[in-house]
């Protein structure tokens, strides 16, 4: 992992799955070349969304007549990408909640499809486009399954800001791109079958608190990460010290007002990030009797089990 181009698909379980993906990518040495296909609104999030925009993530408007060309242009830019990249797609189209699961189960029951218990029904149109456009230069698909132990609280942005650790288990299966069918219908069915298998895997995980007999690998924390954190912390502390030294030159009321404004700005940014990460604020899954979610717009190996904390 980290030595080849890969298309990454994953169940969208927690509020900060994107951060789990970043952690895995960073510890495999390809964080700088990790990309994703996500909804357009995400690029307006302070700092995190801006970094995604600068990293040339693919942003969708959720209208296929526009998104189809956006996807093709995004895939075309990756043909000559200078280093191994991961391109992440959450093909369920939205984050998992009990309400969305109920809607997916009702739809599956009405259509005679396998009834999901731990995942949503994948929307395959974007996945089919990705495979058709990148088959020639992306050799692998990483099928990731994210699960949280029953004894552990789900990871959230709030816990992260509070400095509380979270335990997440990730199973990654590598599929060769050559294994996939050549037709659009075949590719779509392959994706659906993967999520049926993923649902069964999660059902076993919930009963055993483990993915199976595979040896679990703790991906650890490289020393380079500690160096980066310490360096940025020192830089930020230096900037804050200089900032307060500058404000002390001003009149006392001006200094107090500036400090209060800065504090409110920090609190506001944190609140925006927290609210945007909560599953309750994610895009609702809209399914009507005449609408097949497996063809709707995309929102945004050996088996290895990884643990992050």
């Amino acid at each position: 992992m980290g030595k080849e181009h890969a298309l990454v698909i994953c169940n969208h379980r927690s509020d900060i799955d994107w951060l789990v993906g970043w952690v895995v990518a960073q510890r495999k040495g390809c964080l700088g070349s990790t990309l994703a296909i996500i909804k357009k609104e995400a690029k307006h999030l302070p700092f995190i969304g801006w970094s995604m925009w600068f990293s040339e993530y693919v942003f969708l408007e959720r209208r296929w007549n526009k998104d189809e060309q956006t996807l093709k242009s995004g895939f075309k830019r990756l043909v000559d990408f200078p280093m191994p990249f991961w391109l992440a797609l959450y093909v369920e189209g939205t984050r998992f909640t009990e309400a969305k699961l109920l809607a997916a189960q009702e739809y599956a029951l009405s259509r005679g499809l396998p009834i999901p218990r731990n995942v949503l029904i994948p929307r395959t149109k974007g996945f089919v486009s990705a495979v058709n456009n990148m088959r020639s230069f992306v050799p692998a698909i990483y099928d990731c399954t994210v699960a949280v132990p029953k004894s552990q609280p789900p990871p959230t942005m709030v816990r992260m800001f509070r400095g509380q650790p979270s335990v997440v288990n990730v199973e990654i299966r590598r599929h060769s791109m050559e294994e996939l069918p050549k037709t659009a219908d075949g590719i779509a069915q392959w994706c659906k079958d993967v999520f049926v298998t993923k649902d069964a895997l999660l059902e076993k995980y919930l009963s055993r608190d483990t993915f199976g007999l595979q040896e679990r690998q703790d991906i650890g924390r490289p020393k380079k990460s500690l160096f980066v954190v310490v360096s940025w912390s020192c830089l930020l502390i230096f900037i804050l010290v200089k900032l307060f030294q500058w404000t002390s030159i001003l009149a006392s009321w001006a200094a107090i007002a500036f400090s209060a404004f800065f504090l409110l700005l920090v609190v506001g940014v944190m609140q925006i990030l927290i609210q945007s990460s909560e599953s309750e604020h994610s895009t609702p899954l809209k399914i009507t009797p005449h609408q097949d979610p497996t063809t709707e717009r995309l929102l945004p190996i050996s088996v290895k089990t990884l643990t992050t904390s």
Side-chain angles (χ1 to χ4, degrees), residues 64-263:
W64 184 249
N65 59 342
K66 291 186 177 181
D67 292 340
E68 183 177 16
Q69 188 57 45
T70 300
L71 286 171
K72 289 181 179 179
S73 299
F75 299 145
K76 187 176 181 179
R77 292 199 305 267
L78 296 175
V79 173
D80 298 320
F81 206 82
M83 61 186 71
F85 67 81
W86 290 0
L87 178 64
L89 296 85
Y90 289 104
V91 294
E92 291 167 296
T94 185
R95 279 171 285 184
F96 182 96
T97 65
E98 291 300 326
K100 296 170 188 175
L101 175 62
L102 180 60
Q105 289 175 334
E106 291 176 351
Y107 176 85
L109 184 62
S110 68
R111 292 299 182 92
L113 300 174
I115 299 177
R117 295 185 178 182
N118 307 285
V119 298
L120 304 179
I121 299 175
R123 302 179 178 189
T124 58
K125 185 175 287 187
F127 177 76
V128 171
S129 178
V131 171
N132 283 334
N133 284 278
M134 298 197 299
R135 187 192 293 270
S136 62
F137 61 94
V138 174
I141 294 178
Y142 293 164
D143 171 22
C144 302
T145 303
V146 175
V148 179
K150 291 185 294 184
S151 59
Q152 297 289 332
T156 64
M157 188 76 76
V158 174
R159 288 183 58 82
M160 184 179 72
F161 280 135
R162 290 176 178 174
Q164 298 172 330
S166 297
V167 177
V168 177
N169 289 328
V170 183
E171 188 198 66
I172 302 176
R173 298 184 178 186
R174 182 189 184 278
H175 301 277
S176 172
M177 189 69 79
E178 296 178 354
E179 298 175 9
L180 272 69
K182 303 299 182 181
T183 65
D185 289 343
I187 296 171
Q189 187 59 50
W190 184 92
C191 183
K192 298 172 193 175
D193 292 342
V194 164
F195 269 77
V196 171
T197 302
K198 191 185 299 293
D199 190 27
L201 179 64
L202 286 168
E203 191 69 20
K204 290 182 179 179
Y205 180 89
L206 292 175
S207 62
R208 304 175 184 176
D209 224 18
T210 179
F211 281 119
L213 300 178
Q214 296 84 14
E215 181 180 355
R216 189 170 68 176
Q217 301 180 12
D218 192 330
I219 59 179
R221 295 183 178 181
K223 295 181 180 179
K224 181 180 178 180
S225 300
L226 178 61
F227 174 76
V228 171
V229 171
V230 171
S231 299
W232 274 105
S233 298
C234 292
L235 177 61
L236 291 175
I237 291 173
F238 175 78
I239 292 174
L240 287 175
V241 169
K242 290 297 183 181
L243 184 63
F244 281 109
Q245 287 179 348
W246 175 72
T247 55
S248 65
I249 300 175
L250 304 177
S252 58
W253 283 110
I256 293 174
F258 183 85
S259 300
F261 173 78
F262 181 78
L263 180 61

Side-chain angles (χ1 to χ4, degrees), residues 29-30 43 51 95 112 169 203 271 294 296 305 307:
C30 60
K43 70 179 179 181
S51 69
R95 279 171 285 184
N169 289 328
E203 191 69 20
Q271 187 66 24
T294 62
E296 281 303 296
T305 304
T307 302

